[in-house]
Every structure is written in C-alpha cells, then in structure tokens.
Amino acid sequence: MVAAFLVFIMVTAMILGGYAAVSYVPGAIERRRLEQRLREVGPVADEAETSVVSRPAEGPLPGVDKMLGQIDAGKRLATWLEQAGTGTTPGAFVVTTLGFGATAAVLAYLFTGQVFAPLAAAPMGAAMPAFWLARRRSSRLRKFEEEFPEALDLLSRAIRAGHAFQTGLGMVAGEMRAPVGPEFKKVFDQQNFGLPLRDAMNGLALRVPLLDVRFFITAVAIQRDTGGNLSEILDNLSHVVRERFKIQRQVRVHSAHGRITGFVLLALPAALGVALSFINADHMKLLWVEQMGRTMLMAAIVMQTVGFVWIKKVIKIEV
C-alpha cells in the first residue's frame, strides 16, 4: 500500500512537472529573447521600478493560480508571497510544496523501510517551503521597518522645504533602496495615475503589515482631514519608531541566553553522534543498520525540531 502511495506521488509529480515544462518553458524562453532584444535597443528598467499597471504574475500552472485565487487560503498565500517579495505565484508555490513533500516521503521510506515513515516525513518536507517563505517575509518586513524612520525623515524634510506630500513620496521612492523605495514608488505611481491617495496608502498597509506603517497612514489621513503640521508629526513618529528599536535591541540582549540554549540543544545531539561515529563506529552503526535504530533517529529528529520551535516561541517577546 505504501509503495503504491509513493508511486502515485511520483507519477503525479512527474505529470505536474511535465505540464509545467510544456506550458511555462516556451513562454519563458520567448520573454528572455524579448528582453535581450530590448537590452540591445536601450536599458531595461530595474526590477525595483515596477509599473503601476497591475499585471498578474504568470506561473507554471495558470489553472491552479486561478483556482487558488477564488478561495481565502489562496488569497492569503498570494498576499504572503507579495509581502515576501518572491515574485512567484501561489500555483508555483503549491507545486514546490508538493514536490518537497513527495521527495521527503520517498527518502524516508528508502531510509527507514517503515510503513508510517513517509506519513511523518511528507508533512515535514512540505513545511520547508512555508518556513522559507515565512523567514523571507519576516526578513523583508524587518528590513523595511529598520529603514522606515529614514524614509519618514526624508519625507519630513521634503515637506519642510516646501514640497507637496505627493512630491515627497516620489523623492522617497527615488532615494531609498529596496524594500522601502519600491513600496513608496507604487504609492506614488498609483496616486499619480488617478487613484485616491487614501486608497493608495491603504494598499501600502496591505503590502507592508506593520504597526508603524499603519500609524503613518493614520497620521497622514487625519492631517489631510483636520490640518496640522505634517512634518512635525512625521518627526515625532520617526522618533517613536527609533525608540522602539532601542527597546527591541535591549530585549534581544536579555533573551540571548535562551536563543543560544536553543541552538546548543539542537546541535549537541548531532555533534555528539558525529563524534561517536569516529570514536566507536561499530557502536553507532547500529543506528543505521538496525530497524529500531533508524526509527529512533526519525523520532529524535522530530522531537529535536519540536523542542527547538518551542524554545523559540518561549523566548520570542513582542515589543
């Protein structure tokens, strides 16, 4: 039964891979030829200088993208992919997830020979792209948050110098690097092409779900309705963001012991196993050749992963 399940997964992956190759590769080759011809004519715009015209990303499985776009989970996945700045589509991400899960299941069965090993390994393999996406998203948002005060200072100086708020957005878009610059450029282009500023700012809040960005959008909206010194408001907001960074760094210093403990506990069994393999290879060989030993290794990997995730949850302090 397990062999039939693995064969089904492998055949399904081969069919999806063949369909993706047939439907995506010719278009990709044609687009590359077109880009090469455009480079010969003139310089191609940088990736950060995206067009204001919203065009859906073309993935290897347009049908899967369309289906995912009609359900809430697919919409949330598309939002996460946009927030992570991956440039891929939900369909391509789902295919990659299935491929990782199938590969992990096959390797687990070949390594252990246990019936339930693929059932335990497949979710772990399928979770790897999700972990990568979450890490890339958090890294991009953290980088945006770190550079956001500089963008507020630049916008405040532009307003204090007599420029309009929209002009200040364009200056931030041109001066700041990714990811701050491209996000402000989208806002500038959208309002420049007729979209109301409030809607363009709300789009920024959706693409960058940070508390500081919501404060910024709320402050701008209130100032445009009631009036006030916007440059002073932006200066105060920039000061608050920087002070919060100081508190976050202090918390990170105090929680450093817990983080180091998590990494040590995660690496200690693996390092000890490698050391014992050199000291007494016959003793450690039982873990690889015996059925019970391979089962114990799989259980140890699962428990180590759960323990590491649990320690990270304990030491994570929201500020």
Side-chain angles (χ1 to χ4, degrees):
M1 180 178 178
V2 177
F5 175 71
L6 295 177
V7 171
F8 170 75
I9 293 178
M10 295 179 64
V11 172
T12 304
M14 291 176 61
I15 293 175
L16 292 177
Y19 175 75
V22 172
S23 60
Y24 178 70
V25 172
I29 295 175
E30 187 64 26
R31 286 193 297 272
R32 181 169 297 182
R33 291 177 180 174
L34 179 60
E35 291 176 359
Q36 183 64 29
R37 294 182 61 185
L38 290 176
R39 289 191 184 96
E40 295 175 357
V41 176
V44 180
D46 187 78
E47 183 180 358
E49 300 177 356
T50 54
S51 174
V52 70
V53 181
S54 177
R55 293 180 298 177
E58 297 180 358
L61 300 174
V64 178
D65 293 332
K66 184 177 180 180
M67 181 184 65
L68 292 175
Q70 298 176 353
I71 59 178
D72 293 337
K75 295 177 181 178
R76 287 195 296 269
L77 178 59
T79 302
W80 271 55
L81 292 172
E82 184 178 8
Q83 292 171 356
T86 59
T88 185
T89 62
F93 184 81
V94 169
V95 172
T96 303
T97 301
L98 294 177
F100 270 83
T103 303
V106 173
L107 293 178
Y109 181 73
L110 295 177
F111 178 69
T112 63
Q114 293 286 339
V115 176
F116 297 103
L119 299 179
M124 296 179 61
M128 292 178 62
F131 287 147
W132 171 82
L133 177 63
R135 185 173 182 83
R136 181 183 175 93
R137 175 179 178 269
S138 62
S139 177
R140 185 173 185 269
L141 293 180
R142 189 182 306 113
K143 186 176 180 181
F144 186 98
E145 192 174 17
E146 291 177 355
E147 298 178 357
F148 189 55
E150 298 181 10
L152 294 178
D153 291 340
L154 178 59
L155 185 58
S156 175
R157 290 193 297 268
I159 295 174
R160 193 177 292 110
H163 297 285
F165 177 75
Q166 289 82 351
T167 305
L169 292 177
M171 295 176 63
V172 173
E175 295 293 334
M176 298 296 295
R177 57 185 179 182
V180 177
E183 292 296 340
F184 273 84
K185 180 174 176 56
K186 291 179 182 178
V187 177
F188 176 75
D189 289 341
Q190 287 174 352
Q191 61 86 29
N192 200 30
F193 277 83
L195 187 68
L197 180 61
R198 184 183 298 271
D199 295 339
M201 299 289 284
N202 290 334
L204 175 64
L206 292 176
R207 295 190 303 270
V208 187
L210 295 175
L211 184 62
D212 299 330
V213 175
R214 292 199 295 268
F215 284 159
F216 165 66
I217 294 172
T218 303
V220 172
I222 294 176
Q223 190 274 337
R224 293 182 67 86
D225 291 338
T226 62
N229 191 344
L230 182 57
S231 62
E232 183 179 356
I233 295 174
L234 296 179
D235 289 336
N236 294 333
L237 181 58
S238 174
H239 175 72
V240 170
V241 174
R242 286 192 170 92
E243 290 297 322
R244 192 160 64 85
F245 280 153
K246 293 181 181 179
I247 298 177
Q248 287 179 347
R249 293 187 179 98
Q250 293 177 359
V251 171
R252 188 171 179 83
V253 169
H254 291 301
S255 61
H257 181 269
R259 292 198 310 274
I260 295 175
T261 301
F263 286 115
V264 169
L265 293 178
L266 181 66
L268 184 60
L272 183 60
V274 173
L276 290 177
S277 298
F278 286 101
I279 296 173
N280 193 345
D282 294 335
H283 180 72
M284 291 296 295
K285 187 178 180 181
L286 296 175
L287 290 176
W288 308 98
V289 300
E290 294 292 336
Q291 191 69 31
M292 181 61 69
R294 293 193 291 264
T295 304
M296 292 173 62
L297 283 177
M298 293 294 297
I301 293 174
V302 173
M303 289 190 293
Q304 283 288 106
T305 305
V306 172
F308 180 74
V309 173
W310 187 269
I311 291 176
K312 285 185 67 67
K313 290 291 185 181
V314 170
I315 65 176
K316 184 178 181 181
I317 302 175
E318 296 290 343
V319 180

